[in-house]
Amino acid sequence: MTAKASEPPIVELTNITKCFPENNVWANREVSFAIRAGEIHALVGENGAGKSTTMHILSGALVPDSGSIRVRGVNTRFEHPRDAIEAGIFMIHQHPQFVRELRVWENLMLGIEPRGSFGLINRGEAVDRITELATRYRMPINPKHQVELLASSQLHLAAILGALLRDPQVLILDEPTAPCSDHEVELLFGLLRSLAAQGRALVLITHKLREVFAIADRVTVMRHGAAVAERLIEDTTIEDLSNLMIGEDAQTDGEDLPPTAAESRESGSETIEAERSPLFALQNVSLYEGHFPLLRDVSLTVRAGSIVGITGIRENGLEYLEEVISGSAIPDSGEIIIGDKHISDFSPRRFRQHGIAYVPTDRLIRGASMDSSVQDNLILLRRKRLQRGGVFDRKSLDGFLGELKHQFRITASLQQPLRRLSGGNIQKVILSRELSTGAQVVIFSEPSWGLDFRSKQFVYREIRRLREGGTAIILISADIDEILGLSDEIAVMFKGSIAAVLRGDARTRDKVAEYMLGLEHKLADPLEEAPV
Amino acid sequence: MIANSLGIMAPILIAGLGGLLSERAGVLNISLEGLMLTGAFAAIVVTAATGSVLLGVLTAAVAGALLALVFSIISIDFGSNIFITGLGINLLAAGGIPFISNQLFGTKGVLRFAEMPVLPRLDLTFEFRIPLVHDLLFGHHVGVYLGIVLTVLVWVALYRSSFGLRVRVVGVNPETLRLRGLSPERYKRIAIILSGIGAGLGGGLLALRLGVYLPNITSGRGWIALVTIYLGYRHPGGVLIAAFVFAFAETVSMAAQGVIALPNTVLLSLPYVLTVLAMVIYSAVRHSSARRVRYQR
Amino acid sequence: MNRTSPRGSVPAIALALAAAVAVTVVLLIAGSDTPVAAIRAFFFGPFSNTYYFGNMINGVTVLVLTGLGASLAFRAGVFNLGGEGQVYTAAVVTAVAANAAPQLSAAGGIAFALTAGVVAAGIMAGLSGLFRFLWDTDELITSFLIASASIPIIDYMIVGPLNDPASNLLTTPRVPEAFRLLRILPPSRLHIGILLALAAAAITFFLLFYTVRGYEWRLTGLNIAFARYGGINTGMYILFPMLISGALHGLAGAFHVLGTHHAALVGFSAGLGWNGLAVALIGRSHPLGVIPAALVFSYLQAGSRTAILHTEFTFELATIIQAVIFFIITAQHLPRILRRLRLKRDARA
């Protein structure tokens, strides 16, 4: 779907500059960028490179300090998202802005509600229009559903539907694949291709280079707030782009390569594994909502010095498993064993006391207090060790924080609110806090969501370091690459149960995918049908 | 007793419905009391001057709307804390009304005018009537009917109109509205003004029912209206029920005066006691029954 | 809003104060036949003699305590809207306790009466905390309702069974002389309660920002889910903040009786709860920010009092001035609005 380069762009940004005075960051420096009809234009760069800022400016959510925006050759000024929408530009944010309490159709039609009698909303028409559009693009979205019930990948699809209702000529998507499984990514990409074929211009913000080559026609690389290069996709390579993204300096660090399935792990480790002591186990754990099973007979054992990866397509129980192993939800039956203790008293607090550290999916709510200072976020788990007679002890506080800053290379000032930090640095703070206690069992749930290359590498390095140090690790992730790259054992969830636990050579992308989709489940597990 | 309760309920209900709209838009309007007081004053003055109850009621609504407009300018455009702005509006009404009253009539106190029309009652006589049902449905002052009609209207506006949808969104996440190309400030402002209209109307009806303006005539009814919003779980039907519960409790305590050997003033606290009891019992029952997945604190 | 320190907002507050003074002057000129006298009485009256000055500072005592009470609840993410009833109840309980035990030593009697008032108000607010903790009942409404229920009852008690027949005011009997707090600046009513109130602010500041419990308190207020996952017993930080918020309001009521009036007058607490909330919000819910906020507030009230006493300035105008000052004192966009006005003027020039 490569567009003719001669065609004039729909939108041109010229020398866009934006500074955030509150943290004194040049988010955009003289960024110039052109978007052409029928083209999928990828915008890549690390977190904080300025991709989102540029697109927020293009979609009217932010007003630039200087620079110009030309739409079809005409100079325009976007003061409000309204102006951009009127110019045919619509952006879908990384976390789609939905009101959870409302229905899907109410969210999508917000601002363009079809009117019926007495000026009231014509609900029938609203639902019909969405259903029609969803059917045309084969999206499994029911407009009458409550948004709360949607998985995050479905939210992105729904957000795209909402955008299409406005028939935009330019559609901007910010990390739309972050919460998607491979299967869902394919679905999404098919959709994007057909949209481009209709002559729309698409901008895809991402930092997954593989996706760029899978779908984009053109790619612009941003670094430190500037657009450093623009390439046609056929004129570039992954190496070229990653050089542009991170700069030449980071390249020599061999350890920083992303983990892949091909990465060799010391063979023979499995033989020792059985002898290592189990530190955390679930035995036949079930969780119900009414009579509906959310988790069925889940059993797992995690041993010292090993990583158990748990994966699956979202909505197959991963999130409930996270609730149970973090102590948030009380299982209806089954046992949880931490160390050698059978747990009867479930609460996040108890689980902490039993020596479990937890890096949650929901970082900004469960994982961190955004309005508290970096320091207050760091000391949470060690607060009782840093005091004398209930009063914080300046010396041990400074000692602890200094050590943490050094060990985890935290550069942010300790007194600033966490909200001011980038996503990668926030995760760094969370990680360093959770690891500050020397917990025997660490739960990581989607530890690399939305992180850029460098931050991801940091997270992976820490997980591996913990494993070497003898910690038992549970890694919940929908990202197959991450699971394959890190796990010693892979548990695949399907419909609330563990469909298979893959060890050794069985840990292949194909096997995992088959169990995820429930294909292998039927074929290779005849015991399922047999009476017990 | 029911009829009496309905009469007491109406002003609280209407002010509560107004407050509900601004609450749903994310603006806790604690100035309902001051807005009601303003409406009461305006209604009496204009009714006395023109002899028209209708004009009086309309002026009450307009006066409430204007004062609420001030509220919206200060809270939205000046960016002042909503709570303190609300307190300020209450003070403005408490100081401004006697000030104006003094300028106009030379008194800061009771305003009583001769030959003032009062709020009409809806009385229909049929040949065949079932006594109880008839008493329940008819013979109330027009405010009661207005209150019930407004409950339905507010419900329709909130849940069936695009305005209501936008108001509900602005209360939960204003940024969402902005990103859809709409102005959050605009919907907040309209909702605040509507709350002023509701409270102004409520105050006007309260005063016109008595046919006199007394200093502090609202005596906390604006605050009660505010409570009905939460007690009614931020839903128009809930506000109706909550306003009735409160009015009924007040009626009961008035009726109890003759029966129970408790002084008049103590009984004034009965509506609050009953409401708090109802609320605690309701939440306790709900808490123990409605658990889906069991979560730990 | 900067939550850890009020310092960042000092320029904005200074601007708001300047605007408030300007508006007050305009209103005084517009609303008075003798504007110069009114302005002088309003702004300088509170400093003209020890009586006025002492009473102004004494007003700070109650405002600091109620402001602290409101702030501490805010900091834990709960709301205590029942301040007025709590102050009122505590005052009557203190008065009754003081009169019930005249045989006690001075220190013992003061301690006993103070404790009684503080405990009564603490329980009153703590009840709302308990309901919230047990059944998730909204503490914002229950605290308001419970306080509203208490007011008519207290009214009745002061007018009825507890009334002082010797007085022609509607008030409880005066407390024994031995139990009255030391006056600092006679003939004004300023008593040593002010020192305790300031100490309370300092102690609260220390507890909130330098202790583990204070840390847990603040964290629960900022993000309760996070606090829970960090192993903090968040239930405690729903219950205790309400209890202590009530207790501080109680202390304000007790001081009123033992220090200021030596008796509980009917209706004396009207508006006190709201003023406390206003002081907390103006002081950005910071224990030390509450002190200047209370000072400004008390100065305003004292200025109004002297202007009313010495000129034909009226109570209504004073109320209106207070309203207008409320409008601007927290106005965040004020600098921006002024800048825009200046730009417009420059463009025109």
Side-chain angles (χ1 to χ4, degrees):
Chain A
M1 203 48 52
T2 317
K4 292 145 276 175
S6 57
E7 208 172 290
I10 306 188
V11 178
E12 264 179 297
L13 301 179
T14 315
N15 295 334
I16 294 290
T17 296
K18 176 80 186 173
C19 176
F20 291 115
E22 60 262 36
N23 38 8
N24 207 15
V25 167
W26 288 94
N28 270 184
R29 278 184 301 192
E30 313 237 313
V31 173
S32 299
F33 191 86
I35 300 164
R36 294 169 181 81
E39 205 173 74
I40 299 181
H41 195 141
L43 191 54
V44 299
E46 297 209 275
N47 274 357
K51 311 179 296 275
S52 295
T53 304
T54 311
M55 289 301 113
H56 283 142
I57 287 169
L58 178 56
S59 64
L62 288 175
V63 180
D65 299 334
S66 65
S68 70
I69 303 174
R70 285 153 68 87
V71 180
R72 292 185 193 83
V74 182
N75 259 321
T76 31
R77 199 174 150 72
F78 294 160
E79 299 270 356
H80 191 278
R82 183 192 310 126
D83 306 330
I85 293 171
E86 277 166 12
I89 300 167
F90 198 82
M91 174 163 178
I92 296 165
H93 291 251
Q94 187 176 3
H95 303 285
Q97 296 275 341
F98 280 113
V99 179
R100 296 173 55 81
E101 297 83 351
L102 299 182
R103 292 180 191 283
V104 173
W105 72 263
E106 289 178 308
N107 271 291
L108 300 192
M109 283 291 179
L110 183 62
I112 48 166
E113 306 88 350
R115 305 287 169 93
S117 43
F118 306 110
L120 301 181
I121 301 179
N122 186 339
R123 309 172 106 191
E125 192 190 328
V127 169
D128 288 346
R129 274 179 56 194
I130 295 170
T131 312
E132 190 223 336
L133 211 56
T135 324
R136 192 192 317 159
Y137 293 109
R138 294 199 197 89
M139 289 196 234
I141 303 286
N142 183 343
K144 288 184 185 165
H145 272 170
Q146 208 89 23
V147 167
E148 275 175 308
L149 304 174
L150 262 55
S152 18
S153 55
Q154 275 181 305
L155 280 182
H156 266 278
L157 290 180
I160 295 173
L161 269 185
L164 292 179
L165 288 169
R166 290 164 169 85
D167 195 25
Q169 289 313 295
V170 178
L171 183 60
I172 306 161
L173 300 105
D174 193 351
E175 302 278 357
T177 60
C180 294
S181 64
D182 285 7
H183 170 71
E184 287 164 332
V185 170
E186 265 323 301
L187 193 82
L188 181 72
F189 282 2
L191 173 68
L192 298 187
R193 282 191 200 98
S194 66
L195 291 178
Q198 293 167 1
R200 295 178 212 270
L202 274 72
V203 181
L204 183 73
I205 301 178
T206 183
H207 42 238
K208 291 186 185 158
L209 292 181
R210 240 171 19 134
E211 288 181 357
V212 173
F213 286 92
I215 186 147
D217 301 308
R218 191 186 291 270
V219 54
T220 292
V221 181
M222 290 192 71
R223 191 169 77 222
H224 300 317
V228 292
E230 186 183 311
R231 300 267 197 277
L232 279 171
I233 207 71
E234 50 269 28
D235 299 343
T236 185
T237 60
I238 287 211
E239 290 71 34
D240 179 31
L241 291 184
S242 55
N243 275 345
L244 289 165
M245 265 169 74
I246 18 182
E248 310 293 333
D249 49 318
Q251 277 308 294
T252 46
D253 200 348
E255 198 193 8
D256 274 356
L257 286 173
T260 59
E263 192 190 353
S264 64
R265 213 178 276 99
E266 63 278 39
S267 58
S269 66
E270 274 96 57
T271 50
I272 320 166
E273 237 162 63
E275 293 150 30
R276 286 184 175 152
S277 55
L279 294 180
F280 185 88
L282 299 182
Q283 284 177 0
N284 307 98
V285 165
S286 297
L287 182 72
Y288 289 88
E289 177 160 2
H291 292 291
F292 184 77
L294 301 170
L295 291 176
R296 267 190 302 195
D297 264 344
V298 173
S299 299
L300 265 183
T301 304
V302 192
R303 291 169 194 280
S306 83
I307 302 174
V308 173
I310 304 171
T311 190
I313 296 172
R314 286 274 138 188
E315 300 297 282
N316 276 284
L318 286 193
E319 46 279 69
Y320 294 108
L321 193 62
E322 180 181 343
E323 295 295 286
V324 167
I325 61 181
S326 63
S328 323
I330 307 165
D332 292 287
S333 63
E335 293 264 11
I336 296 183
I337 303 155
I338 303 176
D340 48 9
K341 288 187 215 66
H342 287 249
I343 306 299
S344 54
D345 178 4
F346 297 87
S347 74
R349 198 154 151 247
R350 278 277 169 270
F351 275 44
R352 284 259 182 240
Q353 286 166 353
H354 287 297
I356 290 188
Y358 170 43
V359 178
T361 313
D362 190 357
R363 280 174 221 154
L364 306 190
I365 294 176
R366 275 186 193 178
S369 176
M370 299 301 279
D371 293 314
S372 299
S373 64
V374 172
Q375 170 170 333
D376 280 0
N377 273 282
L378 284 173
I379 62 176
L380 177 68
L381 303 176
R382 276 318 211 202
R383 62 188 184 277
K384 301 224 165 108
R385 301 277 179 95
L386 304 172
Q387 48 117 14
R388 201 172 296 159
V391 179
F392 281 117
D393 181 56
R394 195 71 252 169
K395 230 188 207 163
S396 31
L397 205 60
D398 287 344
F400 169 75
L401 290 167
E403 203 176 295
L404 228 52
K405 275 188 91 157
H406 174 74
Q407 190 186 344
F408 294 96
R409 294 187 218 154
I410 296 169
T411 47
S413 140
L414 291 174
Q415 296 310 324
Q416 65 177 324
L418 201 65
R419 194 174 287 290
R420 299 257 172 91
L421 269 56
S422 70
N425 282 332
I426 290 174
Q427 182 70 327
K428 219 179 207 184
V429 168
I430 297 173
L431 223 63
S432 44
R433 177 192 65 232
E434 292 299 322
L435 305 186
S436 68
T437 60
Q440 286 299 293
V441 181
V442 184
I443 302 165
F444 290 94
S445 186
E446 304 293 357
S448 70
W449 257 19
L451 300 191
D452 63 24
F453 186 73
R454 246 183 249 256
S455 314
K456 246 183 201 174
Q457 293 316 309
F458 169 81
V459 172
Y460 294 153
R461 226 176 10 242
E462 287 303 322
I463 294 179
R464 290 211 184 89
R465 193 178 59 76
L466 283 177
R467 176 177 174 272
E468 300 312 318
T471 309
I473 295 160
I474 302 169
L475 170 69
I476 300 176
S477 174
D479 181 340
I480 298 195
D481 290 329
E482 187 167 294
I483 287 283
L484 289 170
L486 290 170
S487 317
D488 297 301
E489 284 177 43
I490 300 173
V492 187
M493 294 206 69
F494 181 70
K495 291 195 173 165
S497 306
I498 292 188
V501 178
L502 305 171
R503 295 186 183 85
D505 294 336
R507 295 169 305 177
T508 65
R509 178 180 294 275
D510 291 346
K511 280 260 185 246
V512 172
E514 278 166 20
Y515 282 108
M516 259 183 168
L517 296 168
L519 303 174
E520 196 77 9
H521 194 59
K522 291 276 170 348
L523 302 174
D525 206 359
L527 286 177
E528 172 86 351
E529 249 76 41
V532 184
Chain B
M1 207 142 100
I2 301 256
N4 207 351
S5 302
L6 289 174
I8 294 172
M9 171 194 79
I12 299 174
L13 169 63
I14 295 170
L17 288 171
L20 173 69
L21 285 172
S22 73
E23 164 65 25
R24 291 302 290 256
V27 179
L28 172 68
N29 188 350
I30 65 156
S31 65
L32 291 182
E33 178 83 4
L35 292 166
M36 276 183 93
L37 209 57
T38 308
F41 179 70
I44 291 294
V45 171
V46 171
T47 306
T50 63
S52 157
V53 171
L54 183 65
L55 270 181
V57 169
L58 288 178
T59 316
V62 171
L66 286 176
L67 194 55
L69 180 67
V70 173
F71 184 112
S72 77
I73 289 171
I74 287 157
S75 63
I76 296 172
D77 302 316
F78 283 23
S80 288
N81 179 291
I82 281 178
F83 203 87
I84 297 198
T85 307
L87 288 178
I89 292 284
N90 282 336
L91 288 173
L92 198 61
I97 292 169
F99 182 76
I100 295 170
S101 175
N102 197 28
Q103 304 284 319
L104 292 179
F105 309 106
T107 172
K108 297 173 184 173
V110 180
L111 288 182
R112 190 189 299 277
F113 299 95
E115 289 169 37
M116 199 161 101
V118 291
L119 216 52
R121 292 178 177 278
L122 186 70
D123 251 323
L124 295 175
T125 336
F126 299 108
E127 291 210 19
F128 308 103
R129 51 190 247 181
I130 313 161
L132 257 177
V133 175
H134 187 273
D135 289 354
L136 201 63
L137 290 181
F138 303 106
H140 309 302
H141 67 80
V142 288
V144 176
Y145 304 98
L146 183 63
I148 289 164
V149 169
L150 283 178
T151 308
V152 177
L153 274 182
V154 167
W155 183 85
V156 171
L158 265 181
Y159 298 101
R160 289 290 179 267
S161 78
S162 46
F163 166 75
L165 177 61
R166 293 165 187 190
V167 162
R168 283 182 292 147
V169 172
V170 96
V172 180
N173 192 349
E175 187 60 14
T176 304
L177 209 64
R178 200 174 83 88
L179 293 175
R180 299 291 206 285
L182 300 166
S183 159
E185 291 79 20
R186 184 168 165 224
Y187 289 92
K188 279 196 175 183
R189 194 186 309 277
I190 297 174
I192 292 172
I193 291 172
L194 286 174
S195 76
I197 292 177
L201 266 180
L205 293 170
L206 184 72
L208 287 172
R209 190 167 165 238
L210 298 174
V212 59
Y213 176 82
L214 313 161
N216 196 22
I217 183 174
T218 47
S219 61
R221 273 161 216 275
W223 296 106
I224 294 169
L226 198 66
V227 168
T228 62
I229 299 169
Y230 293 96
L231 212 54
Y233 284 83
R234 304 168 82 239
H235 191 281
V239 172
L240 175 72
I241 295 169
F244 182 77
V245 166
F246 217 96
F248 189 71
E250 195 175 320
T251 319
V252 168
S253 63
M254 283 195 298
Q257 276 176 36
V259 186
I260 306 170
L262 265 178
N264 196 352
T265 42
V266 173
L267 286 169
L268 286 177
S269 72
L270 201 60
Y272 296 99
V273 173
L274 290 179
T275 316
V276 90
L277 278 180
M279 203 176 153
V280 170
I281 292 168
Y282 178 73
S283 55
V285 170
R286 206 174 65 134
H287 190 84
S288 59
S289 65
R291 270 202 179 162
R292 285 140 58 101
V293 178
R294 290 179 300 159
Y295 281 95
Q296 264 306 331
R297 264 180 193 272
Chain C
M1 194 196 290
N2 189 334
R3 282 172 186 277
T4 49
S5 148
R7 257 170 298 166
S9 42
V10 164
I13 289 177
L15 185 64
L17 278 179
V21 169
V23 171
T24 309
V25 169
V26 169
L27 280 175
L28 284 168
I29 292 172
S32 172
D33 297 334
T34 50
V36 178
I39 289 172
R40 193 185 304 132
F42 192 96
F43 286 108
F44 304 110
F47 303 103
S48 60
N49 60 43
T50 38
Y51 181 74
Y52 292 152
F53 181 74
N55 282 352
M56 173 178 82
I57 301 297
N58 192 41
V60 174
T61 312
V62 168
L63 288 167
V64 164
L65 289 171
T66 51
L68 277 179
S71 299
L72 277 177
F74 284 152
R75 285 280 176 178
V78 293
F79 294 85
N80 177 9
L81 288 195
E84 182 175 329
Q86 289 151 18
V87 172
Y88 203 23
T89 306
V92 165
V93 171
T94 304
V96 170
N99 285 319
Q103 72 282 5
L104 288 176
S105 69
I110 289 173
F112 172 65
L114 268 181
T115 311
V118 167
V119 167
I123 289 174
M124 223 168 119
L127 218 52
S128 296
L130 185 70
F131 293 148
R132 165 78 196 275
F133 170 67
L134 289 177
W135 303 306
D136 232 14
T137 321
D138 195 340
E139 82 286 348
L140 181 132
I141 312 179
T142 58
S143 62
F144 178 72
L145 286 175
I146 291 173
S148 302
S150 74
I151 290 168
I153 297 175
I154 303 292
D155 278 344
Y156 161 73
M157 298 221 282
I158 297 179
V159 176
L162 299 178
N163 193 267
D164 180 13
S167 167
N168 52 4
L169 292 172
L170 293 174
T171 171
T172 60
R174 293 166 70 78
V175 295
E177 235 158 271
F179 299 165
R180 296 178 190 171
L181 295 174
L182 186 67
R183 288 265 162 96
I184 298 176
L185 217 56
S188 84
R189 296 193 173 120
L190 182 62
H191 55 87
I192 52 158
I194 181 72
L195 301 177
L196 286 163
L198 294 178
I203 292 167
T204 308
F205 170 70
F206 176 77
L207 292 177
L208 209 50
F209 292 104
Y210 291 92
T211 67
V212 177
R213 293 235 184 268
Y215 167 79
E216 294 181 345
W217 186 299
R218 287 183 288 122
L219 212 59
T220 306
L222 287 175
N223 182 346
I224 191 164
F226 177 62
R228 193 178 302 148
Y229 278 91
I232 291 172
N233 185 356
T234 51
M236 236 178 63
Y237 294 101
I238 291 170
L239 186 58
F240 277 92
M242 287 302 281
L243 206 72
I244 289 171
S245 175
L248 282 164
H249 282 92
L251 200 57
F255 279 169
H256 181 87
V257 168
L258 296 181
T260 306
H261 269 294
H262 302 154
L265 258 81
V266 80
F268 86 88
S269 67
L272 282 187
W274 302 118
N275 292 351
L277 284 166
V279 164
L281 290 169
I282 294 168
R284 305 289 196 266
S285 298
H286 192 286
L288 299 183
V290 158
I291 296 172
L295 258 172
V296 169
F297 206 106
S298 191
Y299 173 53
L300 205 67
Q301 290 182 323
S304 303
R305 273 199 303 270
T306 47
I308 292 168
L309 273 173
H310 293 284
T311 68
E312 80 296 17
F313 186 70
T314 60
F315 178 71
E316 286 72 41
L317 276 173
T319 313
I320 294 171
I321 286 179
Q322 196 187 340
V324 173
I325 287 174
F326 272 17
F327 291 155
I328 22 194
I329 200 143
T330 60
Q332 290 174 346
H333 301 166
L334 213 56
R336 207 189 304 162
I337 291 169
L338 289 179
R339 213 179 303 136
R340 213 178 295 156
L341 286 178
R342 206 177 307 146
L343 283 179
K344 261 188 201 154
R345 204 186 48 206
D346 293 351
R348 226 177 286 143

